[in-house]
Each structure stands twice: as structure tokens, then as C-alpha cells.
Amino acid sequence: MDTPKKVMLSGIQPSGDLHLGNYLGAIKNWVERTEQFDNYYFMADMHTITVRQVPADLRRRTLEQLAQYIACGLDPEKNTLFIQSHVPAHAQLGWVLNCYTMFGELSRMTQFKDKSARNADNINGGLFTYPSLMAADILLYQPDYVPVGEDQKQHVELTRNVAQRFNHVYGDVFKIPEPYIPKAGARIMCLTNPENKMSKSNPDGCVFLMEKPEDIMRKFKRAVTDCDTERCVRYDREAKPGVSNLMQIYSAVTGKSLEEIEREFEGKGYGAFKPAVGEAVVETLRPIREEATRILSDKAYLEQVYRAGAEKASYIAGKTLRKVYKKVGFVAP
Ligand code: TYM
């Protein structure tokens, strides 16, 4: 008998359009491992309302994100693709895990500190307890790996702590998952300010998957490089953060190593390097953009994908939830 495949799970918030950081830090890694694992990927719509959303935009972006997942290469036949709010077990386990997550732990989360600084007029309970819901998202599916970018590692580590705490009291209920971080692309930085990570909150320094080629080229040509005197393409995250970030991006999209890139641009200045990175990104994103546009026009297909995804996800999640409810002492309905 075949041994069952290991399980991978991850999600992205549809709070903005998908960008190159999401693609290189997360989705590309998911696609490359489709055959190897049993895969669950979702639109984390419940997480987005920790910050105020325009309802119609959230609905539109959730479906666009699904179309983009598929266009990036996530075949719905081989990956369970679903919308978080369609599987009530997330909220249900989220509540239970809230009661096993400590105030001190939640207070240390970088994403909470960043987001509460940016939304000082709306520091709500959901923003604070967000990591307990994320722990539920993960633990419901008993995954082996959670493929995320560097910035989400802290949340996966908290998930491990919560799972271990729960298991310590009730026996082996949850599998303890590992974060799975790519070698190239785990932390893509902003093109205009390479000290910060690329994020939709700074659109000038952020390349979106659906952006037009000419706009992408313009952003790369204007990318901040470093004001050192040598002006050569050399990897040094400390001294040359701008060039090093562009090298990371080029490496992630072409598969070339950092040494190969240094050799390729030896004797050439930033003027040759920046458009070369832009072109490589344009060519990577072109088929994704075209395919996503095509898929998005087929609403019936998208509906069929997310319904089938929710059905499969609910089945798996329900099994874990029933076990948890029994362990904590809830009467079976
Ligand atoms: P989110 O929606 O902010 O980001 C989604 C994924 O993209 C990665 N990422 C990046 N990687 C490299 N460079 C960047 N500049 C960059 N920006 C974003 C993130 O690391 C992430 O992998 N809490 C999560 C969503 C979530 C989740 C989950 C993830 C909810 N439940 C369960 C995994 C498992 C978040 O806010 O990611």
C-alpha cells in the first residue's frame, strides 16, 4: 500500500491584489510541490476584516485571488482550493484555541504591532487574537508543512506552541507543523525603500501580479539601488540592500544562483541590470495575468472550484474539530 502523501497548507489574505512578494515567498513554492504533497490553499477572508474592508471589494478580490491561484499553476484537481469563511470549523476551532493562547504570546507578534500602529483608531480584539485563528486554519488539516514567506514564520511558531500546549493536556490531537520557507524569495523588499518588505501598503515599491508590463518595467527602472561608489552587481544585504533585493528577485524568477548573476553582470552597471530584472519578471507574470483574466470571466467554473474545495476542506476539518470538542468536554450533538 502507498504511504499517504504529506500535507501542505497555506493561505493569503484577499485584503489587496496579489503581489510579487506573495508569489515568490509563497505561491511559487506551493505550485512546485503540488505533486509531492496533499495540498490545501485558501483565501483567508476572515482574517481581512481585522482591518476595515469595503464589502464589494473584498468579495471581488477573493474571487480574483482564486483565479490567480489557478493561473499561477495550482490545479484544482490536485489542490484543495477554498474560501476560509465557507468552512465554519475555522471560526469554531479558532475560539477553542483562543483559550489556549496566552496574552503575552499574542502581544509579542510583529504583525499585531505593525498593524495596530497603522490602524490606531481600530485596534480590535480580532487583530489581537488573529494568530489563534491562524493556528486553527493550520491545525484543522494536520499539515506537515506550512509554506510561507519569512514574515509569517513567527505565527507558525506560535501555532506550534499552541498545538504542543494542547497536546500536552489532551494527548496527541494535533500534528506539529513545520514552517516551509523558500531559499530565494522568502523576503522580497520594497523597490522604492529596500529597508521595508514589499507590501501593498506601498504601491510604488510593489509589483502586482496583474500589472501591465510597461508599469512593471517602469517600477524596476526606478527601483532604488545603492549609493555606494562601486556600482557593481554584487550581493551584500547589509551594504547593498537595493541591489541585493533585485538579485533575489532575479534569482527567484530565473532559477540562477547569486554567483551566476554576479558573473552575468560583471562589468555592466545598474543601467543594464535593472531592466533585465524587469523583463524577467514581466515574462514570468505575463502568462499568469493572461490566464487569470480568462479564468475570471468564467464565474461558473470558479464557483464550482470553491464549492468543491469547501466540501473537501469541511470534511477534513470536521474530523479534527470533533476530536477537539470531545477532548475539551463538549457534549456530542
Ligand atoms: P499575507 O496575506 O500577508 O501574505 C501571504 C503570503 O505571502 C508572503 N509574503 C511575502 N513573502 C516574501 N516577501 C514579501 N514581501 C512578502 N509579503 C507577503 C507571506 O509570508 C505569506 O506566506 N497570516 C497570513 C495569512 C494566513 C495564513 C494562514 C498563512 C492566514 N491563515 C494559515 C498560512 C497558514 C498573512 O497575513 O499572510
Side-chain angles (χ1 to χ4, degrees):
M1 209 179 87
D2 290 343
T3 46
K5 285 184 177 174
K6 292 202 165 175
V7 177
M8 259 202 174
L9 166 133
S10 199
I12 298 183
Q13 298 191 59
S15 50
D17 295 330
L18 288 179
H19 58 73
L20 196 60
N22 299 137
Y23 179 67
L24 298 179
I27 304 173
K28 185 165 179 283
N29 217 4
W30 308 350
V31 173
E32 284 165 3
R33 279 147 192 89
T34 285
E35 299 293 339
Q36 209 179 332
F37 293 97
D38 185 10
N39 314 292
Y40 297 83
Y41 298 117
F42 63 98
M43 281 41 79
D45 58 345
M46 291 165 70
H47 283 276
T48 69
I49 64 164
T50 53
V51 173
R52 207 68 81 223
Q53 302 291 327
V54 176
D57 290 351
L58 177 58
R59 249 187 299 276
R60 173 180 52 77
R61 279 197 309 262
T62 304
L63 294 181
E64 284 173 0
Q65 189 170 310
L66 175 60
Q68 288 169 38
Y69 276 6
I70 302 169
C72 285
L74 291 176
D75 177 350
E77 299 294 321
K78 297 177 180 165
N79 298 272
T80 303
L81 306 179
F82 66 98
I83 299 173
Q84 182 188 26
S85 62
H86 289 182
V87 183
H90 289 244
Q92 293 168 304
L93 183 63
W95 171 252
V96 176
L97 296 184
N98 248 324
C99 305
Y100 294 81
T101 315
M102 299 300 137
F103 182 88
E105 284 176 315
L106 293 170
S107 313
R108 285 194 290 277
M109 294 294 112
T110 312
Q111 186 164 323
F112 171 69
K113 290 190 216 160
D114 288 352
K115 285 203 175 168
S116 45
R118 268 190 272 129
N119 302 282
D121 56 346
N122 184 21
I123 307 178
N124 57 72
L127 196 63
F128 188 62
T129 59
Y130 179 115
S132 308
L133 179 59
M134 177 157 161
D137 298 337
I138 297 173
L139 298 174
L140 279 172
Y141 301 89
Q142 310 279 1
D144 296 272
Y145 300 107
V146 183
V148 285
E150 187 72 45
D151 64 324
Q152 291 298 318
K153 197 171 162 207
Q154 195 186 31
H155 284 160
V156 181
E157 274 160 8
L158 176 69
T159 300
R160 289 167 58 86
N161 292 341
V162 172
Q164 275 158 349
R165 185 172 300 136
F166 195 92
N167 284 356
H168 187 70
V169 182
Y170 302 105
D172 275 344
V173 177
F174 297 124
K175 183 174 269 178
I176 310 298
E178 301 269 350
Y180 196 95
I181 313 241
K183 284 200 184 65
R187 191 167 172 78
I188 300 297
M189 309 309 279
C190 173
L191 297 185
T192 50
N193 180 0
E195 306 292 326
N196 293 339
K197 70 168 184 177
M198 182 178 281
S199 122
K200 59 184 183 293
S201 53
N202 182 352
D204 288 339
C206 182
V207 173
F208 296 97
L209 297 199
M210 299 301 278
E211 218 163 339
K212 291 202 226 68
E214 56 272 29
D215 293 338
I216 298 178
M217 286 306 291
R218 186 172 37 79
K219 286 184 177 175
F220 276 101
K221 283 184 188 158
R222 287 192 192 156
V224 168
T225 36
D226 310 294
C227 38
D228 54 341
T229 44
E230 63 174 23
R231 302 197 66 75
C232 73
V233 177
R234 185 171 60 77
Y235 193 78
D236 183 339
R237 272 236 124 127
E238 292 295 309
K240 295 161 79 79
V243 171
S244 301
N245 184 41
L246 293 176
M247 288 179 75
Q248 279 284 342
I249 294 175
Y250 194 62
S251 168
V253 296
T254 61
K256 293 177 186 170
S257 69
L258 297 172
E259 297 74 41
E260 282 174 293
I261 299 170
E262 286 180 353
R263 251 179 279 128
E264 184 178 343
F265 292 95
E266 211 173 314
K268 299 179 194 157
Y270 298 158
F273 179 52
K274 292 202 280 185
V277 182
E279 268 155 36
V281 170
V282 164
E283 289 321 314
T284 302
L285 298 187
R286 189 191 304 280
I288 296 176
R289 180 169 46 98
E290 289 171 359
E291 183 64 359
T293 308
R294 191 189 64 74
I295 297 170
L296 200 57
S297 65
D298 191 348
K299 294 281 183 295
Y301 170 68
L302 285 175
E303 200 174 294
Q304 180 209 319
V305 169
Y306 68 66
R307 290 214 170 126
E311 195 176 327
K312 166 125 192 260
S314 297
Y315 174 74
I316 305 289
K319 285 208 277 193
T320 304
L321 185 72
R322 279 194 295 280
K323 202 164 166 189
V324 168
Y325 272 14
K326 188 168 171 197
K327 291 283 184 185
V328 298
F330 294 165
V331 173

